[in-house]
Amino acid sequence: MAHQEQKSWFSRNWLWFIPVSGCLGIILLFIVGIGAAFFGVSNLLNNVVPIEYGIEKATENKKVINLLGEPIEKTGIPNGNISLTNDDGTVDFSVPIKGSKEEGFLIIKGIKTNGEWTYEELYVRIKSTQEKINLLEKALEGI
């Protein structure tokens, strides 16, 4: 009896393997691309100057610290709009934040003119009580 050498798996299955692996590769690239875009936009939104400024002001405010607890940190993706054109723009964000005791939202509304941000509203809204804590400097009274 003659010994017959068996063909390799690839030589027996190449007709269906190449198209299927090509399709799976395209699907995988699409999924990776969507994930990269999502995390890129998320990272971009978390590093916007008004959000960094708002978080800094919230972590320095004694009333916010007493109500939320420490440490105060962002807990999700900012919700809202930002529009930037060269040195001008607008921002209107709600950023979920939390501390060791409570959760809340950092509300930021502002205008950028000639590269400088001016904030119309900057406050923390406590989730359970809806109390608003202003983070902007108090206007001088009696002027």
Side-chain angles (χ1 to χ4, degrees):
M1 280 201 199
H3 183 272
Q4 239 181 351
E5 197 169 309
Q6 190 172 4
K7 291 182 178 180
S8 69
W9 180 89
F10 185 76
S11 64
R12 287 179 293 162
N13 297 297
W14 73 271
L15 269 174
W16 65 266
F17 177 76
I18 291 176
V20 168
S21 63
C23 290
L24 290 176
I26 291 171
I27 291 169
L28 183 62
L29 283 174
F30 181 74
I31 291 171
V32 168
I34 295 287
F38 174 76
F39 287 113
V41 169
S42 174
N43 189 34
L44 176 70
L45 289 178
N46 283 327
N47 293 323
V48 173
V49 171
I51 294 175
E52 292 175 352
Y53 178 78
I55 294 291
E56 179 183 323
K57 287 295 188 183
T59 58
E60 294 172 354
N61 188 290
K62 291 182 193 264
K63 190 170 183 180
V64 172
I65 292 170
N66 286 337
L67 290 171
L68 293 182
E70 288 186 291
I72 296 172
E73 53 191 29
K74 294 180 276 189
T75 60
I77 298 173
N79 183 20
N81 300 307
I82 187 166
S83 173
L84 298 172
T85 307
N86 298 325
D87 287 341
D88 299 328
T90 60
V91 65
D92 183 358
F93 273 141
S94 172
V95 182
I97 59 174
K98 74 170 186 171
S100 59
K101 299 179 194 175
E102 179 70 77
E103 296 180 355
F105 296 95
L106 174 62
I107 309 300
I108 306 165
K109 293 182 183 178
I111 299 172
K112 184 178 184 183
T113 307
N114 296 324
E116 293 292 321
W117 283 103
T118 304
Y119 299 98
E120 299 168 343
E121 293 183 29
L122 183 62
Y123 62 90
V124 171
R125 187 178 70 231
I126 306 301
K127 189 172 184 178
S128 62
T129 63
Q130 298 300 310
E131 180 181 355
K132 293 180 182 178
I133 303 162
N134 185 16
L135 301 176
L136 294 174
E137 301 296 324
K138 302 267 185 208
L140 296 175
E141 296 178 24
I143 294 181

